[in-house]
């Protein structure tokens, strides 16, 4: 059975913020709320425009990342946060697209070794393994030193499509997931459904450029 590890939340997902620091000023709190409201208002097409597209000639792949979306200014305080975004890997020859969630988890205390993830689907809760990309001591503050793990896990395109179909700019709707370790606990966070829709649109643009058929996003109601 998984040990439950519940980190103190400043506000509930969909944000890229999970606080380990309880000493948040009122000014910083209001600033983060303003940033969250601004992110919720962004359309999927605008998020697609923000996404980075890089090509790896050695691997014959194209990588799309929504990391530039929803960048927050945390100010001078020693805060510990998470960052999560969508990554798409496209095979240049076949046009096959792999959708992933990229998580940079930061926390205080011992290493969590987040080697599993779970998320909801139309058929129930799905569980999968994560791939560890890196881990390090990220930052230190008067409240202790934070650990950082970077992990990634695949999600089926059908799950991405289902979330994207519900995406609405201006609506605070998250696609949530849990990253965890059976013996060390985990964390629950998420990405905006508009971000998943934006990743779909960006992937389709690249597949069209490559002369491949792309994901059908015409019925996702993501008009800008």
């Amino acid at each position: 059975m998984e040990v439950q590890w519940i980190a103190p939340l400043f506000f509930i997902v969909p944000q890229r913020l999970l606080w380990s620091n309880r000493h948040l000023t009122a000014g910083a709190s209001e600033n983060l709320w303003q940033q969250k409201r601004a992110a919720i208002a962004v359309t999927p097409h605008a998020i697609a425009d923000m996404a980075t597209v890089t090509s790896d000639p050695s691997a014959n792949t194209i990588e799309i990342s929504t990391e530039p979306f929803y960048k927050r200014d945390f100010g001078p305080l020693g805060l510990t946060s998470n960052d999560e975004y969508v990554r798409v890997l496209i095979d240049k020859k076949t046009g096959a697209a792999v959708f992933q969630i990229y998580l940079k988890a930061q926390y205080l205390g011992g290493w969590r070794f987040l080697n599993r993830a779970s998320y909801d689907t139309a058929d129930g809760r799905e569980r999968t393994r994560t791939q560890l990309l890196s881990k390090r001591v990220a930052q230190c503050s008067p409240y202790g030193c934070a650990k950082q793990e970077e992990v990634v896990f695949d999600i089926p395109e059908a799950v991405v499509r289902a979330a994207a179909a519900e995406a609405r700019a201006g609506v605070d709707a998250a696609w949530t997931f849990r990253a965890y370790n059976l013996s060390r606990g985990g964390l629950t966070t998420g990405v905006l459904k508009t971000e998943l829709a934006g990743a779909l649109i960006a992937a389709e643009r690249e597949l069209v450029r490559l002369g491949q058929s792309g994901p059908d996003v015409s019925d996702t109601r993501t008009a800008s």
Side-chain angles (χ1 to χ4, degrees), residues 111-217:
W111 289 105
R112 299 296 177 181
F113 301 110
L114 304 172
N115 58 5
R116 289 174 167 80
S118 63
Y119 54 88
D120 287 327
T121 72
D123 299 321
R125 195 73 175 170
E126 184 71 25
R127 293 173 175 78
T128 187
R129 290 278 187 167
T130 68
Q131 176 187 353
L132 176 65
L133 301 179
S134 70
K135 64 184 183 74
R136 66 187 181 91
V137 176
Q139 61 183 12
C140 293
S141 76
Y143 309 102
C145 290
K147 308 291 195 307
Q148 183 185 82
E149 293 183 56
E150 294 191 25
V151 300
V152 66
F153 62 93
D154 296 351
I155 52 175
E157 184 175 321
V159 173
V160 178
R161 287 175 183 269
E166 299 174 350
R168 304 288 189 282
V171 176
D172 186 358
W175 181 84
T176 61
F177 64 89
R178 180 170 177 77
Y180 63 97
N181 180 289
L182 288 176
S183 62
R184 294 173 181 263
L187 60 90
T188 299
T189 183
V191 297
L192 287 167
K193 291 181 179 179
T194 48
E195 187 167 356
L196 287 165
L200 268 175
I201 293 169
E204 181 175 59
R205 290 174 180 174
E206 284 306 304
L207 289 169
V208 169
R209 188 182 64 81
L210 291 171
Q212 304 280 356
S213 60
D216 180 10
V217 296

